[in-house]
Structure formats: structure tokens, C-alpha cells
Amino acid sequence: MLRLSFPAFNLESFRRKLASVDALPQLCVLGVVSGLLTGAVMVGFRLLLELGGFILMPGNDPEAFEALSPLLRTALPLLAVVLIGVFLWRQPAAARKLGVGHVIERLTHHQGRFPMRNWLNQWWVGVASVLGGLSAGREGPAIHLGAAAASGLGQWLRLPHNSLRVLVACGTAAGISASFNTPIAGVIFAMEVVMMEYTIAGFMPVILASTVGALVAMLVFGSEPAFEVLSVSLGSLMNLPWIVVSALFIGLLAGLFIRVARSERIAALPVAIRLAMVGVATATVAWWYPDVQGIGYDSLAASLAGSVTLDVLLALVVAKLLLTALTVASGIPIGIIGPMLVVGAAAGALAGLTGAWLTPGFAAEPGFYAMLGMAAMMGAVLQAPLAALMALLELTQNPHIILPGMLAVVVSGLTARQLCRCDGFFISVTRHGLHPLQQPLMQALSRISVPAVMERSLATTPRMVTREQARVLLDAKPQWILILRSTGDKPTLALKAADLARALMDEQIAEEAETEDALIDLLEVPGQRLEMAPIHLQATLSEAFERLNDQSVDALYVEHGRRPKHQRISGIITREAIERYYSLR
């Protein structure tokens, strides 16, 4: 009988392969698994929103604020800020960091590891902010929940940190894809906004994760996009100058949003005052214009269809933009992508109506300008032109809109960046030079973990050894000898084994060591000794490089093991080894 045998899965071998820069097959496997996990998480989050809509909203629609009585829809945001203030602000400041900004921070400074408390907070805060009628989106929570879930998988498997970075991108892409049903835009968003780099090893697993995440969401919610888009076209080329003007206007709106959202004056106010401002302002506007509440996808779809009245469009452009910015500035962690799409679509529709009034014979439909406005606002606020264009293409399924879309996105992005002096919203706090994730050196060093570069051939010994003990050490043919200053200590110095071998052949030491029991002080052996500090086996080369600089040492010994008292030394990594790796790339 023919028997098929398959190699047994070895997790330790899997980890070792992931540590290198060429671990594409292993990363693709992780991409598929993280896509499944993130898709399931997003289905759960969206079902929670729908359950809330079933309980609170007429017609079981979580966006149906217009169908509520004025008294109830104004009470909801007040209740939401009270809940968030009472239950979130009692926690430490670190636990209140949620959303896309938190994902980028954890990727930048914590190797893509996420605290469980923040992840749990994101569930209820995301639901409360949307169903509570604040101007908030579901995409920010989706990205946080997806990225943290995918990273949690890597942490549970104790994978090297370079693979955690890719898992964060996979979770981000799958979260966007499962929310919008836009897998390509999810991939570009993850690489352009979160990872801030493009690599083949990064793209392929992220594409798989985004595809799988979208498929999981389709199985539950169907294949329809987040909102219906009508078929429209540019028509006359005479529209191009007005597209430029419209994009300039939207770029200024994007700059205004970022300025208000990053206002230090608002952030300096007491917490109670900030929360009260958000609740009262939202409730006041919602009394007359409930369209500003929630994500606003129903208003966006109406803007694209050209069925929104002028006063509602103005309310969406002015009030929803300022309410979203005020909520962010007050410290309430909400998703901004959905609201900004709504504001951009409304601003584009206004521009289209104005164009039709100025040039009635040539102007395209307001819905066409609404589509462009949606992409222009997203590209300008995030400084992510490719993600905005891909979202525009996938949502409209109309390749003919790409040319005017490119023009609108570029003009709005340049306006926000150059005229308003605003970087991308999620990195606008960085004022000096490039964001750490954008630095070429750190990008290259973050793609690989220390096991792929470290020297494994080493021996550990006390400072004082006999001539025979020194020979035994050298018989193992190590490259490095790690010296313990005293018994029980961690090694703090490294000596090249070749230097000790040379010293043993030196006539002077031979004369001093008249007997085999005479001790040799390894600190007195001629040769170069490297000061060392510890680093964990899962660390990336960027972490190793930073630790070398922080500790002012020239080498690191690599520890392996989960319990501090039972860790063993797996290797040594020197500054020269890191520099040699980078120079060869």
C-alpha cells in the first residue's frame, strides 16, 4: 500500500526561518491565518453594531438616527460621552490609546506588540461611539482590532519581531478589506499608512490576508460594497479645471480638520469640559441635522446619488468635519476614516452643484464630484494617495474615474501638505525629520531578526581559568568567548577565541603558567574585548541597533527562554555584523 508521508511541523524551525529576510513562504502562511482571524474579528464587531441597531434603531439600521425622535437622538451622544468618560478615563492613560494611531505607535516603539486591555477597550468604545451618535467611524476600531489580533497570534507562537510587523500589516489590511469590501485598498492602506514601506516580502502575505479577510466578511454580509455607487463619468474635459479648484477646496478642509484635531488648546482643557463640549456640540447639531451622527454611510450614498439638499450638504461639510475634529482633539478615540469620506463626498457634491451653476452646459453630475471629493479628502487627511485611489477604483468599479481621481487626490494632498503645513494625520505629531518607520536604515533592519545574523559559535567561562580549562574551551572551536566577571553573573565582555589561542602560544604566558593549575586572567589576555548587553532572541536588528547605541556597547549576547532565571545564551551579535548586513542589502 502506498503511504504518503508529510514532514512534521516544527515550530522552532518555523521561527528560525521567519527570522531571516527570505521567509516569504512562512509569511504567506501567516498571512492566510491572520486573514481568517481578522475576518472573524471584524464579523464579530460588525454584528455587535447590527445588534445595537436592532435594539436601539428603527428598522434595525445602526445609521438610522434620522428616524429617532429629536429628544432621543440628542440624548445618545450625551450618554455616550458619559459612558466613555466614566469607564475609559478611570483607566491609566496608556489604556486609553486606541485606533490607527495606537497601531502605528505600537509598531514604531513596541515591535508590534499590543496590550490586551487596549484591545478589549476598543470593542466597547468603538460600538459606543458609533451607536452613541458621535461623529465616528468603524474603520479605526477595525484596524486596531485586526492588527492586535494578528499580532497576538504571533506573540502566542513567540514568533520573531520582524514577523510581528508583517502580521500587524496583515491585520490592518484584512480589517479595512472586511469593513469596506475593498481588498486592494486594504493592502495599500496597510503598506502606505501603517508600515510606511513597500517590499515584496511584505506585499504578498498582506495581499493574502486582505483577500481572506474580505472573503470571510462576504460569507456573512454578502459581496456588496459598504455603499452603493452609481455609474457616472467625466464627460467634457472642461471639468478638469473645476476639479482642480474643488480639490484645492477639499485640501483646505483637510488642513482645517488636522489643525483642529491636533489643537493643543483643546487638549489642555480639563477632561470633564472636553467631554461635555463634545456631547453638547454633537447633541445640538443632531437636533436639526441627525445626518452628522454615526459613520454617515447613508449620507454618503445619498451624496453620491445627488439626493441630498443643500443645507444638509453644508451641515455635513462644516458641522461633521468640526465635530469629528473636536471629538479627536478632546481625546475620545474614534475612527476618522468613515467620517472623512462622508465630509469629502459632501464637499465634492457641493463643488459639483456650484460647477453646474457656473457652467451648466459642461459640468458633470454632482455624484461624480462627490466620488472625487471622497478620495481627495481621504488622500489629503492621511497623505495616502495610492490608498485613496485604490479605494475610489474599487468602490466605483469604474476605471475611467482614475484620471480625474489622480488629479483630485494629488491637488488636495499638495494643498494640505504645502499650504496648510500638515503631514498625514496619523504622523502629524512628528516634526523633526522622517517618522521612525520611514527611515531607510530602520526599515531594512526591521525586516530581519537577530537569529539570522548572530554568531552561534561561542563559549562562556569565568574570568580566571587554568591553562587546561582554556584548552578545553578552544577545543570546541568557538568564535567568541563570553567572560563572566564573577560567578553567577551574566557575561559582560566578549573575547575572540583566536586572541586566547594566540595568547596560549605566547612564550611569556607559558613561562608564567609553570603548572597546569596556574590561573590565566582573561581580562589581561592581549586582544580586543567587547562590552556587552543582553537582548532577546525575538528582537529585530533595528532593536539590536538601538540597544547597542542606548547601552553604548559594541556587542549583545542573545538570550533565549521565557523565564528570566532559566534563560540561556544562544549567540552574540556585534555592531560590525549589523553594519555588514546592511551594507550587503
Side-chain angles (χ1 to χ4, degrees):
M1 179 182 292
L2 178 63
R3 291 187 177 182
L4 298 177
S5 62
F6 298 94
F9 177 74
N10 188 315
L11 184 57
E12 193 62 38
S13 173
F14 189 71
R15 293 192 190 108
R16 284 199 299 270
K17 291 177 180 177
L18 282 172
S20 71
V21 75
D22 300 320
L24 189 55
Q26 291 76 22
L27 290 174
C28 287
V29 171
L30 290 177
V32 172
V33 176
S34 61
L36 288 170
L37 178 61
T38 302
V41 168
M42 269 311 300
V43 166
F45 182 69
R46 290 178 63 175
L47 288 177
L48 271 181
L49 290 175
E50 292 194 359
L51 176 62
F54 177 78
I55 296 172
L56 295 174
M57 302 293 184
N60 306 331
D61 182 5
E63 294 272 16
F65 293 99
E66 297 87 349
L68 297 175
S69 66
L71 189 60
L72 180 55
R73 69 176 179 243
T74 55
L76 282 176
L78 297 173
L79 177 62
V81 296
V82 169
L83 286 174
I84 292 173
V86 169
F87 292 104
L88 191 62
W89 256 265
R90 286 187 175 181
Q91 301 183 39
R96 300 197 295 267
K97 296 180 178 180
L98 311 174
V100 182
H102 177 63
V103 172
I104 295 176
E105 179 195 0
R106 300 303 298 187
L107 191 63
T108 305
H109 302 294
H110 302 276
Q111 295 78 49
R113 294 171 296 178
F114 290 82
M116 177 61 74
R117 176 186 285 186
N118 299 62
W119 190 72
L120 294 175
N121 283 335
Q122 182 65 89
W123 283 91
W124 71 265
V125 171
V127 172
S129 60
V130 173
L131 293 178
L134 300 179
S135 181
R138 73 185 184 204
E139 296 76 25
I143 291 167
H144 181 182
L145 294 174
S151 173
L153 171 68
Q155 291 177 250
W156 179 63
L157 295 174
R158 291 185 287 129
L159 301 181
H161 291 168
N162 64 320
S163 58
L164 290 188
R165 288 170 47 83
V166 178
L167 282 172
V168 169
C170 289
T172 298
I176 287 285
S177 177
S179 182
F180 277 118
N181 195 15
T182 53
I184 300 178
V187 172
I188 301 300
F189 181 93
M191 306 304 291
E192 192 172 25
V193 177
V194 176
M195 295 287 285
M196 303 185 199
E197 64 171 328
Y198 299 96
T199 62
I200 295 297
F203 256 121
M204 289 190 180
V206 174
I207 289 173
L208 287 172
S210 186
T211 302
V212 173
L215 289 174
V216 171
M218 287 178 189
L219 289 175
V220 180
F221 301 107
S223 59
E224 297 299 321
F227 33 81
E228 195 68 29
V229 178
L230 300 178
S231 178
V232 292
S233 61
L234 173 63
S236 173
L237 293 178
M238 296 295 292
N239 284 292
L240 292 180
W242 190 244
I243 289 175
V244 172
V245 174
S246 303
L248 179 65
F249 168 61
I250 292 172
L252 294 174
L253 289 176
L256 173 64
F257 170 78
I258 294 175
R259 292 287 185 184
V260 176
R262 295 298 183 192
S263 172
E264 295 180 358
R265 291 184 178 181
I266 297 176
L269 295 173
V271 173
I273 293 178
R274 283 184 273 146
L275 296 178
M277 286 171 55
V278 173
V280 171
T282 305
T284 302
V285 177
W287 181 274
W288 288 280
Y289 294 102
D291 312 78
V292 303
Q293 293 185 280
I295 308 173
Y297 282 164
D298 54 346
S299 300
L300 192 154
S303 298
L304 295 174
S307 59
V308 183
T309 59
L310 184 61
D311 61 325
V312 173
L313 287 177
L314 287 170
L316 290 173
V317 172
V318 179
K320 191 168 182 66
L321 183 145
L322 293 178
L323 286 175
T324 309
L326 176 63
T327 306
V328 173
S330 298
I332 299 177
I334 61 169
I336 68 160
I337 299 174
M340 287 303 98
L341 290 175
V342 176
V343 171
L350 276 177
L353 290 173
T354 306
W357 176 67
L358 292 175
T359 58
F362 301 101
E365 297 178 22
F368 174 79
Y369 280 93
M371 291 181 195
L372 297 183
M374 179 177 63
M377 179 63 79
M378 177 180 175
V381 169
L382 303 180
Q383 288 296 304
L386 285 178
L389 285 171
M390 288 301 101
L392 179 65
L393 176 61
E394 287 188 290
L395 290 171
T396 62
Q397 298 181 0
N398 182 2
H400 301 293
I401 204 169
I402 289 298
L403 174 62
M406 291 170 65
L407 182 62
V409 167
V410 168
V411 171
S412 64
L414 283 174
T415 301
R417 192 178 188 89
Q418 300 301 320
L419 294 185
C420 302
R421 302 294 179 186
C422 294
D423 297 326
F425 176 77
F426 295 114
I427 59 171
S428 59
V429 293
T430 302
R431 297 299 180 194
H432 305 290
L434 294 173
H435 188 277
L437 293 178
Q438 295 173 315
Q439 296 172 4
L441 173 61
M442 303 313 290
Q443 285 180 347
L445 297 183
S446 295
R447 297 179 196 130
I448 188 170
S449 288
V450 293
V453 176
M454 71 181 185
E455 176 58 61
R456 300 173 185 270
S457 177
L458 50 85
T460 304
T461 180
R463 168 182 173 179
M464 307 297 294
V465 294
T466 65
R467 192 176 182 83
E468 179 59 30
Q469 289 171 334
R471 289 198 191 98
V472 171
L473 281 175
L474 294 175
D475 285 342
K477 298 181 179 180
Q479 293 291 323
W480 291 93
I481 294 177
L482 309 188
I483 304 173
L484 305 172
R485 289 186 186 271
S486 60
T487 304
D489 283 350
K490 293 287 187 180
T492 56
L493 291 173
L495 173 71
K496 281 193 172 182
D499 291 334
L500 177 59
R502 203 163 25 247
L504 288 178
M505 294 185 293
D506 187 86
E507 293 182 1
Q508 182 178 354
I509 291 184
E511 291 175 0
E512 292 176 357
E514 294 179 356
T515 67
E516 292 294 325
D517 294 333
L519 294 177
I520 300 174
D521 187 350
L522 295 182
L523 297 187
E524 299 299 327
V525 170
Q528 180 185 11
R529 274 164 289 275
L530 304 180
E531 293 281 347
M532 293 194 302
I535 196 166
H536 198 270
L537 185 70
Q538 292 175 275
T540 63
L541 288 192
S542 63
E543 294 175 73
F545 187 72
E546 289 176 350
R547 187 156 183 80
L548 286 170
N549 293 332
D550 292 342
Q551 299 292 322
S552 299
V553 295
D554 291 311
L556 302 168
Y557 60 89
V558 183
E559 292 183 318
H560 181 54
R562 303 189 71 176
R563 292 179 293 178
K565 293 184 178 180
H566 295 82
Q567 289 183 335
R568 61 183 178 85
I569 297 174
S570 301
I572 181 175
I573 183 167
T574 63
R575 188 182 298 271
E576 288 77 12
I578 296 176
E579 292 173 351
R580 184 166 57 250
Y581 164 80
Y582 180 70
S583 64
L584 292 175
R585 289 293 157 181

